[in-house]
């Protein structure tokens, strides 16, 4: 077997490692620094407790208000609206209660194994120093939100993850830097944080090379089925037996010429990193009302959030990052925001908020792993294990049927 991976973000590099650990020959094509592109700016929160797909009836009810608020957690640029019609219709279908229940079950099964897979990989790769099982907290400002969070705790526990309710005083005890008056939260003790995503990614890429995997710093223009079987990759002379599309938010561009129409869009997200915040957090935090996250990194405090639908090519709207600064000041009195750096990146988003992991319907030697949306850092290692098992002819650790791309064509 000779496998080409198109895209060397976190999912591509983890998948290449899982294949190489099975002694399969791998070449990753990636034009940028490997294993860094999107995780480098992410919240670095390994949060398997997030088992509720974004497409749910609550989001649907809040949608009109969200769409007309320029400072809300979700915006759609008018220029992108026409491109979002079919994605939006599928999103609406995904909010039906039966579909939400299926989504929760699928994410629960994948996420339940996610952190163990990540820690085991980090151990093998020598990247443990960059991870910490810190636990994570979902914070509620008001009592109605806290009630909703507590109602979600049973489903998280049913998925096999520990969860503890915190009242306002218990929250302050764990995170004294938070503003007074917050209602409380949910503590997920098994959650984790990545202390330095750039070093973590670099170590994984180095481990892949140590295992004998190749990383070619070139973009794939097209994956072409070769006349005698196998795949040729536009930018290389070599012939491969198998190809895997791991190009994150760009994956549909490689699949379209092969006859696969994939409803992939991007939920663009922003961050600010505060190098000298002057306040310390002990856990990654997600704020339920504003949907922003804050994570202590080795080089500052990372504040991330917002979903912007504007496609892959529109310029960033840095007002979204500035908004994150104001929110950080609101939640963390006295936080210092001097020398903040700003960043925007592309979450690969399918309308039902489940990733696409599996084998292509009409090409026996073509596989895919993309569309992990808000959870790609969390799910990369377990996704990689599943894809490598598929190629090696082993049963995957997780039932992959919910993640089959054909779900959009039934
Ligand atoms: C603001 C923000 C915060 C986030 N926070 C978290 C978090 O706390 N926890 C979490 O679990 N997830 C988080 N995520 C989501 C997570 O970062 C993504 O889901 C994950 O990085 C996706 O990984 P990927 O490898 O599929 O895509 P990417 O990391 O985007 O990698 C895709 C790679 O493919 C390459 N590529 C594209 N086209 C081609 C081509 N034609 N040929 C070759 N290569 C190509 C790109 O250069 C890129 O390196 C966050 C995302 C954002 C934006």
């Amino acid at each position: 077997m000779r496998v080409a991976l198109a895209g060397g973000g976190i999912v591509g590099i983890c998948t290449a490692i899982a294949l190489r650990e099975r002694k399969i020959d791998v070449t990753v094509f990636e034009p940028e620094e490997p294993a860094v592109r999107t995780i480098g700016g992410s919240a670095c929160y390994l949060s398997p407790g997030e088992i509720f797909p974004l497409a749910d009836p609550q989001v649907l009810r809040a949608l009109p208000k969200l769409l007309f608020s320029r400072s809300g957690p979700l915006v759609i640029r008018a220029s992108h609206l026409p491109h979002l019609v079919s994605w939006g219709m599928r999103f609406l279908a995904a909010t039906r209660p039966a579909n939400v229940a299926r989504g929760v079950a699928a994410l629960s099964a994948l996420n339940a194994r996610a952190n163990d897979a990540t820690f085991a990989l980090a151990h093998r790769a020598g990247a443990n120093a960059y991870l910490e099982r810190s636990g994570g907290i979902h914070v509620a400002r008001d009592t109605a939100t806290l009630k909703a969070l507590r109602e979600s705790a049973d489903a998280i526990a049913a998925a096999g993850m520990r969860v503890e309710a915190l009242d306002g005083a218990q929250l302050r005890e764990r995170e004294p830097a938070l503003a007074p008056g917050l209602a409380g939260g949910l503590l997920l003790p098994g959650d984790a944080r990545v202390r330095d995503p750039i070093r973590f990614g670099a170590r994984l890429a180095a481990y892949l090379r140590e295992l004998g995997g190749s990383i070619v710093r070139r973009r794939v223009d097209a994956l072409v089925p070769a006349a005698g079987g196998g795949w040729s990759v536009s930018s290389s002379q070599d012939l491969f037996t198998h190809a895997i599309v791991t190009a994150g938010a760009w994956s549909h561009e490689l699949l379209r010429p092969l006859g696969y129409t994939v409803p992939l869009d991007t939920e663009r997200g922003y961050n600010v990193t505060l190098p000298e915040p002057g306040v310390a957090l002990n856990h990654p935090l997600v704020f339920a009302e504003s949907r922003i996250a804050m994570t202590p990194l080795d080089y500052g405090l990372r504040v991330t959030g917002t979903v912007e639908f504007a496609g892959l090519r529109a310029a960033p709207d840095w007002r979204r990052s500035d908004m994150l600064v104001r929110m950080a000041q609101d939640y963390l009195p006295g936080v210092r925001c001097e020398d903040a750096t700003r960043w925007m990146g592309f979450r690969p988003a399918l309308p039902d908020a489940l990733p696409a992991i599996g084998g292509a319907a009409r090409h026996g030697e073509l596989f895919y792993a993309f569309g992990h949306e808000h959870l790609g850092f969390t799910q990369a290692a377990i996704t990689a294990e599943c894809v490598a098992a598929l190629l090696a002819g082993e049963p995957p650790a997780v039932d992959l049927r919910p993640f089959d791309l054909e779900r959009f064509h039934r």
Side-chain angles (χ1 to χ4, degrees), residues 6-12 29-32 37-39 41-45 47 218-220 246-250 254 269-270 304-305 343 345-348 369-370 372-378:
I10 190 68
V11 173
F29 291 88
E30 168 58 55
E32 303 207 357
R37 176 80 188 238
T38 308
I39 59 162
S42 77
C44 300
Y45 179 16
S47 54
R218 278 207 302 267
R219 183 177 182 276
V220 174
T246 46
W250 298 266
L254 290 167
Y270 290 78
T304 64
W343 174 93
F346 301 96
R347 301 183 189 95
F370 61 87
H372 294 75
E373 222 182 49
H374 295 241
L375 288 175
F377 210 165
T378 306

Side-chain angles (χ1 to χ4, degrees), residues 184-209:
L186 278 190
L187 168 70
L188 289 107
D191 283 5
R193 72 178 175 113
V194 181
R195 305 163 59 113
D196 184 332
I198 312 282
R199 289 202 165 140
F200 179 75
R203 179 85 282 279
L204 292 189
Y207 177 56
L208 174 61
R209 290 189 177 108

Side-chain angles (χ1 to χ4, degrees), residues 34 48 53 103 173 186 260 333:
E173 216 168 276
L186 278 190
Y260 299 92

Side-chain angles (χ1 to χ4, degrees), residues 131-346:
L131 294 185
E132 185 187 47
R133 260 211 217 257
S134 52
I137 304 179
H138 295 213
V139 177
R141 183 186 286 280
D142 62 50
T143 48
T145 312
L146 184 60
K147 185 165 170 279
L149 276 185
R150 287 188 174 162
E151 283 165 5
S152 69
D154 286 349
I156 299 172
M161 283 166 273
R162 284 187 296 141
V163 51
E164 292 169 27
L166 303 177
D167 62 22
Q170 290 164 324
L171 175 64
R172 287 269 289 169
E173 216 168 276
R174 288 189 168 268
E175 292 294 2
L178 282 176
L182 299 170
L186 278 190
L187 168 70
L188 289 107
D191 283 5
R193 72 178 175 113
V194 181
R195 305 163 59 113
D196 184 332
I198 312 282
R199 289 202 165 140
F200 179 75
R203 179 85 282 279
L204 292 189
Y207 177 56
L208 174 61
R209 290 189 177 108
E210 285 156 21
L211 291 172
S214 302
I215 301 174
V216 176
R217 291 289 292 273
R218 278 207 302 267
R219 183 177 182 276
V220 174
D221 296 321
L223 291 168
V224 185
W231 292 90
S232 71
V233 173
S234 57
S235 47
S236 138
Q237 304 298 317
D238 297 336
L239 193 64
F240 297 91
T241 58
H242 295 75
I244 313 181
V245 177
T246 46
W250 298 266
S251 296
H252 57 317
E253 295 179 346
L254 290 167
L255 285 165
R256 193 183 305 124
L258 296 167
Y260 299 92
T261 310
V262 180
L264 185 70
D265 210 300
T266 177
E267 294 181 14
R268 296 151 51 116
Y270 290 78
N271 88 24
V272 286
T273 307
L274 313 176
E276 300 285 347
V279 296
L281 290 180
N282 303 312
H283 313 77
L285 306 177
V286 172
F287 296 85
E289 286 93 355
S290 56
R291 300 302 304 163
I292 70 164
M294 293 188 201
T295 307
L297 303 182
D298 283 355
Y299 48 89
L301 179 67
R302 168 76 48 88
V303 186
T304 64
T306 90
V307 167
E308 180 190 48
F309 285 96
L312 291 167
R313 288 173 184 88
D317 175 357
W318 293 121
R319 288 172 302 182
R320 308 289 294 162
S321 280
D322 298 342
M323 193 177 98
L324 293 171
V325 171
R326 289 194 295 278
M327 287 178 167
Q329 288 164 331
D330 181 35
Y331 285 115
L332 296 174
V335 69
R336 295 216 315 261
C337 301
E338 293 87 30
D339 302 322
T341 57
R342 305 187 293 188
W343 174 93
M344 187 275 286
F346 301 96

